């Protein structure tokens, strides 16, 4: 008789089972309710199919729909397989490639036989997916050899799958999953059957083009996107968020408010219009005041630095594909010959500010008494992002960071990180964000530095967050294995916006690598040279992206202190033109950003136009207001108005327009 396997359950109880037993068998032995509810198994932390036999002693946790994170991942993976089968049934001759789960759904890439798919195809595909779900086919896992895979794909005319299978390594366990007669290469896991999917909890959203294996030199495929959830309520909530997000799109609102534009002559760079740059300047001035009050010294560093400097810092080897490289030579001005010889030394536009800040730190001898040194820069940087990855002002090639680096001794680190967390918390609340989560990104596979350094750096960040009292569920505290930078672990701060989306914005990283590579040191109390620890930190991240987030969070209805135009004085009749100009002048003298609207248009037309432009306050004046020295105040989004004396209106607006740090 074979030795029994010991299966330890979450409550600590142990069951002994025979080889060949599956998690589904254990669920059935515990009770029919659990057997019906279970959709997968977590084996020593790894999610697996319920029907996959145990391969030794293990810890077992049964996954149900209540385990939402795991259940969503499984459901979206299942939806992708159902989508692929539906497409191949409706469009014979279509080849399949890959179909992963995504953050809110799934997609699948296809090579159609006759024509690219369009959005008009989606309703029929959805209907076919529901028929497949209703069949309640089991997902069956099988282990195949590489030769078996290649032969199957070639016989079925699946050239893309055959190409991929031919590149799989020898000796690796290769699996396929069946649902009825249809199959695909897949690592899994899956739920027990297609019938565990809710047929009204998914929606196909769009079709786009995608290159095979992401290479523009390869075949163009049709990518079908879908969103998938556990039930219709979740789907409806998601679709509502998408609808609301479309209304709040920063590109749409930016155009309506005349804030900025983008064009192909400067891919990934923003053309800020006067009103947009007022918003920028208000945000920058606020951040500068906060940094000044927190003891930061502002610096300015060069845009171009010699490639040798980037080699020494380590960025040239790890980050070069994202850098704009510039030859250090005078171009040929003659009509004949190459513009550049190719023999000049290489320089690079800076993708980040940190190496330059180390070079400033190295000027002069630093004592342990000088630390901490907090060095800030609103530094303009460039990163060579692919064209296809660019998105409005959220992802750009030229950007300005609210960057800073703090040089500390070991004994100062926790206090500095704690002070940063408190500053960040205050800034986010001032800007209208009441909720954010804190994540600790841990060491990646490819990294600089010793294991001891990483152990110490990660624990220091844990201790600092604990010291602030924010290592709790209220702040979404979580550790993210493998997601740190190549030189340091980092704390990430994820904002939650008005419609529930999260945005990773602020960061702080502990770095002992760069000071070592660039030879930064200070003289300690013992008279010896020591390396400082370098804290890389940002609160907004980049101005461009953060302003995009602000636009979408507030739907363009900024708090008065940030609004590019804080008030418009609009006339009802031309007889009030002189009074309107007087009102605007007094508001401007009080520091209010004001415009006048003296056009010969009906007041309702003016109200609609300025509402579309998200002007927060409209001061309406006619002959009566001119005679009485008053104004009728209309607030954005309000149907009513309030008549105030001009003096009272100015005092109220002054108070509302004062930045929160100056109150």
């Amino acid at each position: 008789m074979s030795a029994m396997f010991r299966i330890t359950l979450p409550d600590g109880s142990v069951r002994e089972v025979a080889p060949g037993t599956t998690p589904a068998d254990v669920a059935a032995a515990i009770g029919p309710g659990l057997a019906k509810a279970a959709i997968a198994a977590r084996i020593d932390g790894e999610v697996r199919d319920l029907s996959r036999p145990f391969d030794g002693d293990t810890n077992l946790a049964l996954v149900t729909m209540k385990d939402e994170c795991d259940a969503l991942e499984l459901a979206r993976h299942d939806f992708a397989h159902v989508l692929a089968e539906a497409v191949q049934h409706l469009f014979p001759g279509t080849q399949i490639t890959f179909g992963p789960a995504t953050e809110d759904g799934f997609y699948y890439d296809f090579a159609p036989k006759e024509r690219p798919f369009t959005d008009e195809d989606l309703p029929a595909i959805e209907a076919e997916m529901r028929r497949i779900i209703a069949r309640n086919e089991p997902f069956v896992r099988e282990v195949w050899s590489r030769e078996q895979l290649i032969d199957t794909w070639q016989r079925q005319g699946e050239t893309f799958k055959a190409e991929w299978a031919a590149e799989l390594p020898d000796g690796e366990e290769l699996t396929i999953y069946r649902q009825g007669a249809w199959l695909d290469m897949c690592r899994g896991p899956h739920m027990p059957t297609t019938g565990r999917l809710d047929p009204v909890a998914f929606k196909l959203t769009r079709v786009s083009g995608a290159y095979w294996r992401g290479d523009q030199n390869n075949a163009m495929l049709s990518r079908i996107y879908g969103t998938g959830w556990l039930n219709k309520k979740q789907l409806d909530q998601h679709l509502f968020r998408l609808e609301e997000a479309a209304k709040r799109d920063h590109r749409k609102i930016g155009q309506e408010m005349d804030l900025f534009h983008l064009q192909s002559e400067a891919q990934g760079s923003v053309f800020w219009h006067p009103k947009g740059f007022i918003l920028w300047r208000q945000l920058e001035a606020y951040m500068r005041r906060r940094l000044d009050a927190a003891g930061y010294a502002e610096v300015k560093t060069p845009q171009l630095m010699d490639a040798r400097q980037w080699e020494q810092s380590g960025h040239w080897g790890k980050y070069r594909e994202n850098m704009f490289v510039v030859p250090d030579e005078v171009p040929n001005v003659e009509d004949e010959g190459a513009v550049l010889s190719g023999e000049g030394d290489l320089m690079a536009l800076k993708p980040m500010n940190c190496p330059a800040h180390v070079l400033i730190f190295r000027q002069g001898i630093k004592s342990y008494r000088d630390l901490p040194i907090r060095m800030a820069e609103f530094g303009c940087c460039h990163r060579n992002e692919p064209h296809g990855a660019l998105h409005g002002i959220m992802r750009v090639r030229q950007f300005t960071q609210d960057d800073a680096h703090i040089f500390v001794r070991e004994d100062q680190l926790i206090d500095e990180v704690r002070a940063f967390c408190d500053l960040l918390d205050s800034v986010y609340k001032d800007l209208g964000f009441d909720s954010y989560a804190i994540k600790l990104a841990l060491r990646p596979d490819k990294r600089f530095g010793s294991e001891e350094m990483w152990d110490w750096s990660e624990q220091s960040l844990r201790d600092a967050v604990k010291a602030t009292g924010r290592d709790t569920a209220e702040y979404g505290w979580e550790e993210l294995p493998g997601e740190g930078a190549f030189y340091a672990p980092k704390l990430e701060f994820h904002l939650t916006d008005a419609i529930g989306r999260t945005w990773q914005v602020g960061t702080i990283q502990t770095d002992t690598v760069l000071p070592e590579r660039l030879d930064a040191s200070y003289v300690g109390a013992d008279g010896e040279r020591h390396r400082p620890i370098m804290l890389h930190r940002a609160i907004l991240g980049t101005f461009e992206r953060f302003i995009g987030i602000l636009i979408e969070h507030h739907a363009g209805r900024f708090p008065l202190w940030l609004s590019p135009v804080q008030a418009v004085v609009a006339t009802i009749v031309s007889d009030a033109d002189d009074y309107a100009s007087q009102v605007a002048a007094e508001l401007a003298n009080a520091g209010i950003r004001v415009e006048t609207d003296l056009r010969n248009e009906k007041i309702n037309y003016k109200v609609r136009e300025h509402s579309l432009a998200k002007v927060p306050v409209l001061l309406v004046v006619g002959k009566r207001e001119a005679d009485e020295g008053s104004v009728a105040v209309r607030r954005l989004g309000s149907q009513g108005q309030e008549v105030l004396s001009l003096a009272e209106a100015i005092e109220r607006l002054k108070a509302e327009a004062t930045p929160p740090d100056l109150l």
Side-chain angles (χ1 to χ4, degrees):
M1 180 177 176
S2 300
M4 303 289 277
F5 294 153
R6 291 173 56 83
I7 308 302
T8 304
L9 299 174
D11 64 0
S13 63
V14 176
R15 290 174 178 254
E16 293 195 345
V17 301
T21 303
T22 68
D25 296 329
V26 173
I30 293 173
L34 183 58
K36 183 178 179 181
I39 57 174
R42 189 170 281 281
I43 306 295
D44 291 334
E46 177 190 356
V47 179
R48 290 187 181 181
D49 305 306
L50 275 178
S51 59
R52 184 173 171 182
F54 297 110
D55 48 20
D57 295 347
T58 192
N59 294 296
L60 167 67
L62 292 164
V63 177
T64 71
M65 290 294 189
K66 293 181 180 179
D67 302 302
E68 189 168 297
C69 185
D70 288 336
L72 278 171
E73 181 78 14
L74 289 161
R76 288 164 179 165
H77 196 175
D78 292 357
F79 277 127
H81 278 230
V82 171
L83 165 62
E85 181 183 353
V87 168
Q88 289 199 302
H89 181 261
L90 293 174
F91 302 94
T94 296
Q95 294 188 57
I96 56 173
T97 62
F98 297 117
T102 64
E103 186 177 350
D104 58 12
F106 54 94
Y107 71 79
Y108 218 107
D109 288 346
F110 301 94
K113 182 179 181 181
E114 297 178 355
R115 60 168 177 82
F117 298 132
T118 69
D119 290 348
E120 285 68 38
D121 296 317
L122 299 183
I125 298 171
E126 285 184 349
E128 182 63 20
M129 289 176 68
R130 292 190 175 96
R131 282 191 284 271
I132 294 169
I133 291 169
R135 289 206 318 257
N136 197 25
E137 296 277 8
F139 286 103
V140 179
R141 178 180 185 269
E142 297 177 11
V143 179
W144 283 19
S145 69
R146 187 172 66 163
E147 291 69 26
Q148 190 178 2
L149 279 171
I150 295 170
D151 179 63
T152 298
W153 296 134
Q154 287 176 341
R155 282 190 290 102
Q156 294 184 1
E158 296 281 4
T159 59
F160 296 94
K161 285 289 189 181
E163 176 186 323
W164 185 256
E167 297 178 12
L168 295 173
D170 288 324
E172 182 176 311
E173 184 177 72
L174 307 176
T175 55
I176 64 105
Y177 277 79
R178 296 184 182 274
Q179 56 209 50
W182 188 88
L183 60 87
D184 190 10
M185 271 192 311
C186 179
R187 287 194 177 94
H190 287 274
M191 291 197 285
T193 70
T194 62
R196 301 304 289 268
L197 295 169
D198 187 332
V200 294
F202 78 93
K203 182 176 178 58
L204 301 183
T205 54
R206 63 190 174 95
V207 179
S208 72
Y211 292 109
W212 167 236
R213 303 176 78 165
D215 187 336
Q216 62 183 358
N217 296 314
N218 290 340
M220 174 64 78
L221 308 173
S222 284
R223 175 172 293 178
I224 298 179
Y225 286 94
T227 185
W229 301 86
L230 301 181
N231 52 60
K232 190 173 187 301
K233 180 181 178 182
Q234 289 182 343
L235 173 65
D236 289 344
Q237 289 173 339
H238 175 70
L239 294 177
F240 172 78
R241 284 195 299 270
L242 289 181
E243 182 181 348
E244 188 63 26
K247 295 176 185 175
R248 293 168 177 261
D249 190 304
H250 70 281
R251 295 163 296 183
K252 172 178 173 287
I253 292 175
Q255 184 176 11
E256 292 170 350
M257 297 181 68
D258 191 24
L259 301 180
F260 59 83
H261 83 274
L262 302 127
Q263 63 184 71
S264 59
E265 285 79 0
Q267 284 276 2
S269 297
V270 185
F271 292 82
W272 289 100
H273 297 190
K275 290 177 182 176
F277 202 55
I278 288 172
L279 172 60
W280 177 297
R281 288 173 56 199
Q282 291 303 309
L283 186 61
E284 183 180 54
Y286 165 80
M287 289 303 301
R288 183 169 278 119
R289 291 192 301 270
R290 298 305 308 267
L291 293 177
D292 287 347
Y296 288 79
E298 190 172 347
V299 300
K300 191 72 173 173
T301 59
Q303 287 290 301
L304 272 172
M305 291 173 61
D306 192 293
R308 285 182 287 266
Q309 179 64 40
W310 297 109
E311 288 174 5
Q312 189 176 351
S313 70
H315 293 90
W316 194 253
K318 298 281 186 179
Y319 206 76
R320 187 170 65 243
E321 70 273 14
N322 297 110
M323 298 170 72
F324 285 102
V325 178
V326 181
D328 186 12
E329 66 171 288
V330 177
N332 175 24
V333 297
E334 303 297 331
D335 291 337
E336 299 296 325
V339 175
L340 297 170
S341 70
E343 297 176 0
D345 290 338
L346 295 180
M347 304 185 76
L349 286 169
K350 65 176 178 180
M352 63 267 300
N353 302 300
C354 34
H357 288 189
V358 177
L359 298 183
I360 292 178
F361 178 88
R362 285 177 48 190
Q363 296 299 300
I365 298 173
K366 301 295 187 296
S367 162
Y368 70 96
R369 296 188 182 90
D370 297 321
L371 304 184
I373 292 175
R374 306 181 189 96
M375 198 179 298
E377 179 174 10
F378 298 123
C380 180
C381 298
H382 291 79
R383 293 183 186 172
N384 195 0
E385 300 280 4
H387 286 195
L390 302 176
H391 176 66
I393 65 174
M394 296 288 204
R395 188 163 183 180
V396 291
R397 289 174 145 191
Q398 176 185 294
F399 54 89
T400 298
Q401 296 177 312
D402 71 315
D403 203 7
H405 296 92
I406 308 173
F407 297 88
V408 298
R409 307 187 306 263
E410 284 191 21
D411 62 294
Q412 297 170 322
L413 185 139
I414 289 178
D415 285 343
E416 283 299 313
V417 175
R418 179 170 55 186
F420 168 77
C421 291
D422 290 341
L423 174 62
L424 173 141
D425 181 87
S426 173
V427 168
Y428 288 169
K429 286 181 168 56
D430 282 352
L431 294 172
F433 296 95
D434 296 323
S435 176
Y436 62 89
I438 307 175
K439 318 286 186 185
L440 175 57
L442 304 173
R443 68 196 75 184
D445 292 336
K446 295 181 179 179
R447 57 185 180 267
F448 289 145
S450 67
E451 294 305 295
E452 292 76 16
M453 179 278 286
W454 281 91
D455 289 342
W456 179 84
S457 296
E458 290 170 353
Q459 190 58 46
S460 296
L461 291 177
R462 288 189 190 97
D463 292 344
V465 176
K466 183 178 180 63
T468 70
R470 297 186 178 99
D471 60 337
T472 62
E474 178 187 355
Y475 286 92
W477 172 251
E478 183 183 3
E479 297 193 4
L480 307 174
E483 297 200 14
F486 68 85
Y487 53 86
K490 61 179 176 176
L491 292 176
E492 300 177 351
F493 297 83
H494 297 247
L495 289 178
T496 301
D497 71 8
I499 58 174
R501 297 173 300 180
T502 58
W503 306 87
Q504 196 264 298
V505 183
T507 60
I508 188 165
Q509 301 162 292
T510 60
D511 182 6
T512 61
V513 172
L514 200 59
E516 179 73 34
R517 292 181 71 92
L518 296 183
D519 194 29
S521 65
Y522 67 90
V523 178
D526 57 1
E528 300 295 324
R529 291 177 69 223
H530 298 270
R531 299 290 184 205
I533 299 161
M534 187 177 184
L535 299 177
H536 304 247
R537 48 111 294 176
I539 295 175
L540 306 184
T542 74
F543 276 80
E544 288 80 359
R545 181 168 178 268
F546 198 87
I547 288 173
I549 294 169
L550 275 175
I551 290 171
E552 297 197 2
H553 175 62
H554 291 289
R557 299 182 175 193
F558 300 111
L560 197 63
W561 68 277
L562 273 177
S563 295
V565 178
Q566 295 172 319
V568 168
V569 184
T571 54
I572 300 173
V573 293
S574 58
D575 289 350
D577 286 0
D578 290 343
Y579 179 61
S581 298
Q582 175 194 334
V583 169
E586 293 193 33
L587 285 165
N589 287 337
I592 304 299
R593 296 186 289 277
V594 61
E595 295 179 352
T596 57
D597 187 345
L598 310 181
R599 293 173 299 165
N600 185 23
E601 299 283 359
K602 292 183 177 180
I603 190 62
N604 287 341
Y605 175 85
K606 295 180 181 182
V607 169
R608 283 195 301 272
E609 195 168 74
H610 294 301
S611 295
L612 182 65
K614 309 295 189 295
V615 175
V617 179
L618 194 62
L619 304 176
V620 179
V621 297
K623 192 171 185 309
R624 178 193 298 176
E625 286 78 16
D627 292 340
E628 296 176 353
S630 62
V631 291
V633 180
R634 287 174 175 257
R635 301 281 180 166
L636 180 61
S638 173
Q639 299 299 314
Q641 64 181 30
E642 183 180 16
V643 178
L644 301 172
S645 70
L646 176 57
E648 185 176 1
I650 289 173
E651 284 307 305
R652 286 194 189 182
L653 291 178
K654 277 180 63 177
E656 290 180 41
T658 302
D661 63 305
L662 298 179
L663 290 173

